[in-house]
Amino acid sequence: MQHDSDGPDLRKEWLHQRTYGALTRFHDTTPMIYRKAIDVPTEVTEWVAGWGGSSLFLTGAIGVGKTHTAWETCRRWLKAFYGPDRAWNGAANIYTYRSTALFDALRPDGPDDVRRTLIKTLQDADLVFVDDLAAAKVTEWTQERLFEIFDERYINRRPVIVTSDVLPPELGPVTGPRVASRLGEMCGSSVVLMEGDDRRRGEAA
Ligand SMILES: Nc1ncnc2c1ncn2[C@@H]1O[C@H](COP(=O)(O)OP(=O)(O)O)[C@@H](O)[C@H]1O
Ligand SMILES: [Mg+2]
């Protein structure tokens, strides 16, 4: 750690710059409506603070705020990643995918090398957020690719954030039973049931 010799103030300033840069870059990739800072459930705050290898599963009906909460969680996770409680271990790699786009990218008809690179990237990333996991049906072939990603993350205790309107055990028909079972284990007690009215309907009214 070359920066230890720089003294606490310089190191603090350097980390601050790093955090600011990472958050700015993340902000730029965040869809417009999810950029606003929002409050999150206590379980989410605890998950961010916990830094275990566990994953986070946000579930609930359409419009309760799962996706927005997940983006906010990613921001808080990024801040914590660069926080004073963690040793510096390189820049944060965080990937966010809607499940439909992810499944498309994993399909067998695309170029092999592109798909292999994507799978490796998602296996190794510090955090992967998959939005709306039950939204699309996948073929058995794509389920196998998903399993490659989730199993590698599972055995290395690398976290994922998943939003879905169904619970992990009910994901089987979409992701295949093996991914559903891994996810259940990875999320453990960090399965957050979000409740409330459809916020979108409130807006439209
Ligand atoms: N805690 C919150 N405070 C204010 N607005 C929110 C909050 N959570 C979600 N929203 C807004 O409500 C709408 C629906 O949220 P979204 O996260 O897309 O729901 P879901 O993913 O559960 O279908 C979005 O416009 C979002 O910006
Ligand atoms: Mg959503």
Side-chain angles (χ1 to χ4, degrees):
M1 294 261 297
Q2 69 193 79
H3 293 276
D4 279 354
S5 58
D6 293 341
D9 283 350
L10 261 179
R11 179 176 160 70
K12 222 167 129 190
E13 176 57 25
W14 178 78
L15 263 179
H16 181 76
Q17 298 274 345
R18 285 292 201 159
T19 315
Y20 181 77
L23 282 169
T24 305
R25 280 192 303 279
F26 191 72
H27 179 85
D28 291 344
T29 67
T30 304
M32 207 61 91
I33 65 164
Y34 297 129
R35 290 183 180 181
K36 195 174 79 142
I38 54 167
D39 289 335
V40 294
T42 319
E43 295 101 312
V44 171
T45 321
E46 284 166 3
W47 179 82
V48 174
W51 270 115
S54 87
S55 292
L56 180 67
F57 200 97
L58 302 173
T59 185
I62 283 179
V64 287
K66 301 180 293 296
T67 302
H68 203 141
T69 300
W71 282 101
E72 175 70 24
T73 308
C74 290
R75 289 191 281 272
R76 294 180 185 211
W77 178 92
L78 258 181
K79 266 187 218 161
F81 188 97
Y82 291 100
D85 301 339
R86 257 188 109 253
W88 174 251
N89 195 19
N93 269 318
I94 172 167
Y95 289 87
T96 61
Y97 261 98
R98 296 167 92 143
S99 63
T100 41
L102 176 62
F103 296 166
D104 271 353
L106 293 174
R107 279 163 54 138
D109 36 12
D112 274 350
D113 53 338
V114 173
R115 188 177 52 251
R116 291 303 336 159
T117 305
L118 172 65
I119 290 173
K120 179 89 177 95
T121 301
L122 295 180
Q123 285 175 332
D124 294 346
D126 296 304
L127 179 65
V128 173
F129 157 34
V130 181
D131 189 34
D132 231 348
L133 190 51
K137 267 227 142 78
V138 293
T139 61
E140 230 171 88
W141 196 92
T142 304
Q143 289 179 350
E144 280 300 314
R145 307 290 82 74
L146 272 183
F147 181 73
E148 282 185 60
I149 295 168
F150 279 92
D151 188 52
E152 184 70 17
R153 298 192 69 78
Y154 168 76
I155 62 179
N156 288 293
R157 296 178 65 79
R158 296 190 185 117
V160 296
I161 297 177
V162 167
T163 70
S164 179
D165 53 7
V166 303
L167 286 163
E170 295 153 7
L171 276 173
V174 180
T175 61
R178 293 195 299 163
V179 169
S181 148
R182 288 287 185 278
L183 255 179
E185 262 192 71
M186 290 162 85
C187 298
S189 57
S190 300
V191 177
V192 183
L193 175 60
M194 299 187 61
E195 286 174 305
D197 295 333
D198 184 342
R199 291 175 181 270
R200 289 197 196 92
R201 238 182 288 174
E203 261 176 28

